Amino acid sequence: MALRKGAEIIAEHLINEKIPYIFGICGHGTVGMLDALYNVQDEIKLISPRHEQTAAHMADAYFRVKHEPVATLTSCGPGSANLIMATAVAQTDSSAFLAITANVPTSQFNRSPFQELNRHNQADFANVMRPVVKRSFQPTRVDMLPLALRQATTTMLSGRPGPVNLDVPFNVFQEEADVTTEAPSGGHLARRNGAAPEDVAAAVDMLLAAEKPVLFIGHGVTLSEASAELTALARRFSIPVISSPNGMGCLDMEDPLSLGFIGRNGAYQANQAGRHADLVIAVGARFDDRSSSSWTPGYSWNFPDTKLIHADVDHDEIGRNYPPDLGVLADAKTFLTQLLAELDRRGASEDGRMAPWLADIAGWAKAWDDFTRPNFDVHASPMRPERVVADCAAVLPDDAIISLDSGVHHNWYMQFWKARRPQSMLNTWGFSGMGFGPSGILGAKLAAPDRPCISICGDGGFTMVPHVLCTAAEYNIPVVWVVWNNFCWSAIRDIQYGLFDGREIATGFYETGNNNRPYNPDFAAWARAAGVEGVTVSKSEDFKGALEHAVASNKPYLIDVHVDAEIRPPATGTWALPPIPHKEPVFGEPYHP
């Protein structure tokens, strides 16, 4: 074979892995890689957003929508350092992309050249990345690239997906070697692991003995593409389904068996079902603090009084917070398929025995609807939060994709949004980084160009990444941003109000010296300055029509929506910030068996 540059080998690998996009920012460290990409522009499209954080969020969201990875490309030092937060968001939410970072030439290792980190080890940027990736590889010779690339891609996509770092010294892009590219990885879900037969039998025994079972699902069900199997099991035995935000839509949330989210900002019927269940079958879910009322007994769950089956592809999650009665190391789709097959083998049926349990749940759901529904029809200026959710639901088609940033708007959507299909509600959940929503929606649209893509993002989060407007205009990516403008960091201000006697400081946006008048930039004008259509909505009567027009326009569009910050999501569970005592639910009360 002929001698080839390292950058050419990397480009060939990306093509063989069917990676269609690289999201990256140029720098002196990557010019060799950029030159190789120049020759393959018809096979890999390079999109250059105006900040590396946005590049990583775009790659993260692309994978969440399509379950196929893309790559990022960033230069030495600060350029790659800008990836860290966004990569942590992807890692904690089990989303995969290949982060190619440049480093200094190997001949300059430990000489403190421009942008080298070497306090503890030469060219040490890989150690900066390691906490936020599944693994970091640093090939220091061209002949090391084929193995590193194959292992990086396989690691990224196998088991629980996650980002992987390939840290490449400058000279490795440019130097040549006669090497053979290794075989492609096979892609996400190329390998699945199932449960042991005795575990399947034990799980079915527990299910058939239960009178009040619930399924609790998370991102693992979405990633496993197990929506059909989940729906079949839930409907066959009339098992209610509680979902984490990243699992929403795996069961159509208009289905009466869908109870929504659990925890402080969950639905009342979900918390009630969790409190009163005699069996919880958790599949691909983590029992983090926000989906367990900070593990406070009686608020969302009642383990160990309630029996627990916990199935996950990652053994570290099984028993992390609640020791299960039955722990199952298995892929979600495979495990659910095995349960259905065992139930078929036994000829098992529900036989109406869930009727009393479903009647209880229907009563809780009605009480919750009676308490919350009237506010969804109220017109006001500024808008009530419920009205924003309601109008989005009325306008957006079932196949629309929404992305949500960290902030109080996310709490409202966790509580009241009804996702109709999986991979349609993108959340920054585990690491909860601001900027994911308005940035990620660009990657989502590239992954699903025929589906409407809408970012509902807070005013604080949007002002962290306003350059997304430039990227949408430059590359003609027709997304819609709905900026939830309430003139404050309201989720944190509400903590000050609730736990610190209303001692508000540094959480509201005010004009100093102008009677503390609320301040924000004119987001619509900001959008227009970047070449994006923008309108401001201050009356609720105008929002629905504005959203309809924005979606129909099929071009980048921003709607600045003024939302009332004094209306807060009704808590049905709790959330603890030790040692401060937790708050009691606004609706409902804990249950202790």
Side-chain angles (χ1 to χ4, degrees), residues 448-469:
D450 296 328
R451 297 169 64 183
C453 291
I454 298 89
S455 167
I456 296 99
C457 49
D459 45 1
F462 186 85
T463 51
M464 291 188 176
V465 290
H467 42 77
V468 295
L469 297 166

Side-chain angles (χ1 to χ4, degrees), residues 66 444-453 478 554:
K66 201 164 186 177
K445 186 64 176 179
L446 294 172
D450 296 328
R451 297 169 64 183
C453 291
N554 196 34

Side-chain angles (χ1 to χ4, degrees), residues 66-358:
K66 201 164 186 177
H67 288 174
E68 296 175 6
V70 294
T72 61
L73 178 64
T74 53
S75 193
C76 310
S80 292
N82 283 338
L83 286 176
I84 301 300
M85 185 278 277
T87 308
V89 168
Q91 190 236 41
T92 55
D93 283 343
S94 308
S95 185
F97 64 89
L98 181 63
I100 303 172
T101 57
N103 214 320
V104 301
T106 57
S107 61
Q108 297 179 1
F109 276 14
N110 211 33
R111 295 173 68 91
S112 290
F114 184 51
Q115 297 180 332
E116 182 192 30
L117 295 176
N118 60 15
R119 175 64 62 186
H120 300 287
N121 192 51
Q122 60 190 18
D124 207 18
F125 189 77
N127 269 329
V128 177
M129 291 291 287
R130 282 188 178 113
V132 299
V133 295
K134 288 184 73 174
R135 185 163 175 181
S136 184
F137 297 83
Q138 190 186 61
T140 54
R141 301 189 311 271
V142 176
D143 63 351
M144 297 171 67
L145 278 171
L147 177 62
L149 286 162
R150 194 253 301 165
Q151 290 182 343
T153 309
T154 301
T155 300
M156 172 176 67
L157 296 174
S158 61
R160 182 177 181 176
V164 167
N165 172 224
L166 184 75
D167 190 62
V168 184
F170 177 89
N171 57 294
V172 176
F173 287 128
Q174 288 292 91
E175 291 171 352
E176 298 178 327
D178 184 353
V179 299
T180 301
T181 304
E182 299 204 10
S185 65
H188 177 53
L189 301 178
R191 296 189 295 246
R192 296 181 186 266
N193 60 308
E198 58 269 26
D199 287 343
V200 176
V204 169
D205 288 342
M206 294 171 71
L207 173 58
L208 295 179
E211 297 180 355
K212 299 178 180 180
V214 297
L215 281 154
F216 175 46
I217 66 161
H219 201 192
V221 175
T222 306
L223 289 166
S224 185
E225 299 180 358
S227 175
E229 292 76 13
L230 169 73
T231 302
L233 179 62
R235 290 178 178 171
R236 176 169 176 175
F237 278 86
S238 300
I239 308 172
V241 177
I242 299 168
S243 178
S244 79
N246 284 332
M248 286 182 174
C250 287
L251 175 67
D252 184 342
M253 295 184 73
E254 290 288 357
D255 191 307
L257 290 171
S258 174
L259 306 187
F261 182 52
I262 197 168
R264 181 190 67 171
N265 292 116
Y268 174 62
Q269 61 269 21
N271 277 301
Q272 282 289 85
R275 294 162 185 154
H276 290 267
D278 61 3
L279 173 68
V280 174
I281 305 172
V283 184
R286 293 194 298 116
F287 291 108
D288 65 292
D289 56 335
R290 289 190 290 170
S291 61
S292 64
S293 290
S294 296
W295 313 288
T296 309
Y299 282 75
S300 290
W301 309 105
N302 268 311
F303 305 119
D305 294 281
T306 302
K307 298 295 183 184
L308 173 61
I309 300 170
H310 194 172
D312 203 283
V313 75
D314 183 355
H315 64 84
D316 286 343
E317 293 299 343
I318 300 172
R320 181 191 292 275
N321 290 308
Y322 294 118
D325 296 275
L326 177 63
V328 180
L329 184 64
D331 163 75
K333 185 184 184 80
T334 305
F335 177 60
L336 292 170
T337 300
Q338 290 175 294
L339 289 182
L340 289 164
E342 178 65 11
L343 290 164
D344 284 341
R345 189 186 70 80
R346 299 190 191 189
S349 60
E350 190 261 315
D351 294 332
R353 63 192 175 89
M354 298 298 177
W357 178 227
L358 296 178

Side-chain angles (χ1 to χ4, degrees), residues 294 296 495 499-500 574-583:
S294 296
T296 309
I495 293 175
L499 300 180
F500 291 88
T574 192
W575 187 48
L577 296 171
I580 301 170
H582 61 262
K583 287 286 188 179

